Amino acid sequence: GRSVEAVTLGSPEGLQAEVLTYGAILHRLSYPVRGQRRELILALGRLAQYEQDPAYVGPVVGRFANRIAQGRFAIDGRTHQLSRNENGNHLHGGVRGVGKRLWKLCPPPSDTSARLELHSPAGEEGYPGNLDILLELRILPDALRFSFTAHADSATPVNLTCHPYFNLGGPATLHWLRIPASRYVPVGAGLIPLGELTRVEGTAFDFRAGRVLAPPPLHTHAQLAAAGGFDHCWVLDDDADCHCELRSPQGDVALTVRGSGPGLQFYSGQFLSRSHPGIGSGVALEPQGLPDAPNHAEFPDAILRPEQTYTAQVEYRVNLA
């Protein structure tokens, strides 16, 4: 019974974005290419579709993006049980998460910026502590930036990112992708990390020089078979110049993604059509911390404590060839 607002940012001469206050969903992202405005992401046509969407088409995801094994973790010796919404595990914040909540728009946006706020109460989806999130959006002629700030009154996992599906024009498998990462996180049952980092050299997971997305046959690599394609987290090299770079099949548009966290979750969208037949093909490219980090002491810490401030950024920058 509450209204959902759509905020439009940008100008007709450059990058334009439309963000919904429901889920802070990135609903539109377009750029003028060869004299015509081209949509760069996939979108659903009706709000009701977003409310029922199981594939995370465009929202901010969290409190904890990615997976937590069995939805269970311990902080300071106390075990917490989260909701389990995917194969017995916790994914992208749970059944609702921040991506299915109504964010508050304040103050009124300008043509180039907007601020959204969300209060996640203690116990929501099983998370400890109250969490207050501020999302600041800013658009430039060629870039869109998401800046997150969050505070909690009790120790809680936090890993916020954005989940649009990109398609720069043409079949997703014909796009070109570069990821400046020498290692990735192999997964086991339920796509839960095994707790180790594996070198990409000589495997289908090596995108350091960039290549066309189409994966080799799934049977050629156990990790491809486990995920039905790519749905893994790459760990950026120390000298990485970005999180990734995506180019259209025609080579006329390039998207550079930068953000916070050592990881990039790349999902090739192989099961997207099961949830949304006819939506088209697209890929998710999500800068973030490492999956299941609360259960792996060897991974970077993902716990936000009351005396700390959580910050994270995601930037999408468009260039024409």
Side-chain angles (χ1 to χ4, degrees):
R2 293 179 293 170
S3 63
V4 172
E5 297 179 71
V7 179
T8 300
L9 303 174
S11 70
E13 293 75 33
L15 191 65
Q16 282 189 324
E18 184 179 81
V19 178
L20 308 182
T21 53
Y22 179 74
I25 289 170
L26 182 59
H27 178 54
R28 304 283 296 275
L29 186 68
S30 65
Y31 195 76
V33 181
R34 298 177 179 175
Q36 293 187 331
R37 184 158 290 276
R38 183 181 299 181
E39 295 293 339
L40 305 178
I41 62 172
L42 304 181
L44 301 176
R46 295 179 294 109
L47 182 61
Q49 291 177 284
Y50 282 115
E51 290 182 278
Q52 303 300 321
D53 171 33
Y56 304 93
V57 179
V60 168
V61 288
R63 291 185 189 186
F64 193 90
N66 220 310
R67 296 169 175 87
I68 295 179
Q70 300 178 7
R72 189 179 302 128
F73 60 90
I75 300 177
D76 301 330
R78 180 181 176 184
T79 298
H80 299 270
Q81 180 64 60
L82 304 179
S83 58
R84 294 187 284 184
N85 59 317
E86 188 204 51
N87 300 321
N89 300 310
H90 181 82
L91 174 65
H92 291 331
V95 177
R96 291 183 70 201
V98 304
K100 291 192 181 296
R101 297 281 309 283
L102 188 61
W103 294 58
K104 182 181 179 182
L105 181 65
C106 60
S110 70
D111 291 339
T112 59
S113 65
R115 291 162 60 98
L116 296 172
E117 297 178 351
L118 180 67
H119 173 73
S120 175
E124 186 172 52
E125 301 289 345
Y127 283 99
N130 294 287
L131 182 72
D132 290 292
I133 306 169
L134 170 64
L135 168 58
E136 297 183 275
L137 297 159
R138 183 168 297 276
I139 198 164
L140 304 173
D142 62 351
L144 175 64
R145 295 174 181 166
F146 289 71
S147 297
F148 298 97
T149 305
H151 294 91
D153 61 6
S154 184
T156 186
V158 181
N159 182 29
L160 298 170
T161 192
C162 308
H163 202 292
Y165 286 88
F166 293 99
N167 185 308
L168 307 185
T173 54
L174 298 183
H175 283 58
W176 179 94
L177 177 67
R178 179 176 68 90
I179 305 175
S182 301
R183 299 173 298 167
Y184 76 100
V185 182
V187 296
L191 303 186
I192 296 298
L194 298 175
E196 61 193 45
L197 304 181
T198 297
R199 305 289 297 184
V200 302
E201 185 175 2
T203 75
F205 292 80
D206 192 349
F207 286 91
R208 290 174 295 177
R211 71 168 203 268
V212 174
L213 282 182
L218 300 184
H219 66 80
T220 62
H221 197 293
Q223 285 293 307
L224 292 176
F230 295 113
D231 192 359
H232 297 77
C233 189
W234 276 252
V235 180
L236 300 184
D237 293 341
D238 291 339
D239 60 352
D241 62 323
C242 63
H243 272 68
C244 67
E245 181 183 3
L246 184 70
R247 293 182 191 170
S248 65
Q250 307 94 316
D252 55 359
V253 181
L255 177 81
T256 302
V257 180
R258 294 184 175 90
S260 301
L264 175 82
Q265 185 77 16
F266 162 41
Y267 169 46
S268 51
Q270 55 269 28
F271 301 120
L272 181 59
S273 62
R274 292 183 182 178
S275 302
H276 302 291
I279 193 175
S281 59
V283 297
L285 301 162
E286 311 155 51
Q288 58 182 265
L290 301 192
D292 200 29
N295 291 313
H296 295 276
E298 67 277 16
F299 288 177
D301 185 26
I303 305 301
L304 174 66
R305 297 182 180 275
E307 66 275 11
Q308 299 173 326
T309 298
Y310 173 88
T311 60
Q313 296 79 38
V314 177
E315 179 188 88
Y316 307 120
R317 185 172 295 273
V318 181
N319 294 288
L320 299 182

